[in-house]
Amino acid sequence: MKTDTRITLHYFSLAANHKIFLFLITILFYGCSPIYYVPNTQNVPIMKAKGQTNLFLGLNESENTDAFEFQGAYGLTEKWALQLNTDWVKSSEDNSISSGTFFEIGGGYYKSISKSFVFESYGLVGYGSFDYQDNSIDNSDISANLYKIGVQPSISFSGKYFNASLSSRLATINYNNVSGSLLNEVYYLQNNKSFWLIEPALTVQGGFENIKLQLQLQASYNLTSPDFSQDYSLVSLGLKVNWNSKLHRIQK
C-alpha cells in the first residue's frame, strides 16, 4: 500500500513538473513574439481657415515601443486641408532589437459648426516597414512592409488657451514583402495580410494662444483578429504650434 502511494505521488510530481515546464515554455515563447503593428498619433489640426498651419513635434509610448513623431497640417482652402505625419519607432524591450518607420499623408474637409466647435474628417494613406530581431535566438528575424488606408472624423472644442478633441480612425492595414528566419511568424503574416482596425482617441491641448502642450490617449482594436500581435494603446506628448496670419490680422 505504501509502495502504491509512493508511485502515485511520483507520477503526480512528474505531471506537475511537466505542466510547469510547458507553462514556462509558453511564457518564453510569447515573451519573444514580435509586435507587427503600433498605432501612430492621430493628427487633429482643428482647422479653422485657409492658410492655417499646424506643426507638432512629440514622443509616444506603447506597451512595447517608444517613438519620435513629426506632424503638420495646412488649410488649403476655406473647407479643405492637407496633413502629413511621420513616425520613427524602436523597441523598448531588452530581449529584442526592432525598429520601424511610418509615413502618412491625408486630405479632408473641415467646418466650424459654432464659435467654439470644429468638425473635421480626413482620408489617410500611409506606408511603413518594420524589422525585428530576437536577441535570445541567433539569426532569428522578421521584416515586412505595410500599407494603411483609413478615415478619421473628429469633433473639437477650441478655445484660446485650451483645446479638446474626440476622434476615431477606421483603417485597414495590409502587409507585403514579408521575410525572415522566424518561419512560423513569416508564414502567419504571409497568410494573414489584411486587418481592419478601429482607433478612438482623446486629445487635449493647453498653453498659449499659438503654442500648446498636447497630450493624446489612444486605443487600438483589431476588428479582424482580436488576438493579433500588436500594441493596443498609445500615449503621446509633444508641443504643437498653430499659426494663421489671416486670423491674426483679423483679431488685431
Side-chain angles (χ1 to χ4, degrees), residues 52-120:
Q52 179 179 329
T53 303
N54 287 10
L55 298 175
F56 171 78
L57 194 66
L59 303 173
N60 70 52
E61 181 176 321
S62 66
E63 293 98 316
N64 297 281
T65 66
D66 301 310
F68 169 78
E69 291 185 294
F70 173 78
Q71 298 180 339
Y74 179 75
L76 195 62
T77 72
E78 296 295 338
K79 293 183 178 180
W80 301 97
L82 301 174
Q83 62 172 259
L84 169 68
N85 309 309
T86 60
D87 199 16
W88 292 270
V89 184
K90 67 176 182 178
S91 171
S92 59
E93 299 295 308
D94 295 331
N95 62 346
S96 65
I97 299 174
S98 60
S99 62
T101 57
F102 184 71
F103 301 92
E104 183 177 59
I105 58 173
Y109 173 82
Y110 69 93
K111 181 179 177 61
S112 295
I113 55 180
S114 72
K115 185 178 179 180
S116 300
F117 287 90
V118 177
F119 170 79
E120 299 172 276

Side-chain angles (χ1 to χ4, degrees), residues 35-40 84-89 99-105 124-132 142-149 172-179 189 193:
I35 300 299
Y36 301 124
Y37 173 76
V38 180
N40 63 314
L84 169 68
N85 309 309
T86 60
D87 199 16
W88 292 270
V89 184
S99 62
T101 57
F102 184 71
F103 301 92
E104 183 177 59
I105 58 173
L124 303 166
V125 178
Y127 171 80
S129 63
F130 75 86
D131 294 282
Y132 173 89
I142 181 173
S143 63
N145 298 333
L146 69 91
Y147 297 90
K148 184 176 180 180
I149 300 174
T172 178
I173 52 175
N174 298 271
Y175 293 89
N176 64 4
N177 295 331
V178 183
S179 63
L189 207 55
K193 297 181 177 180

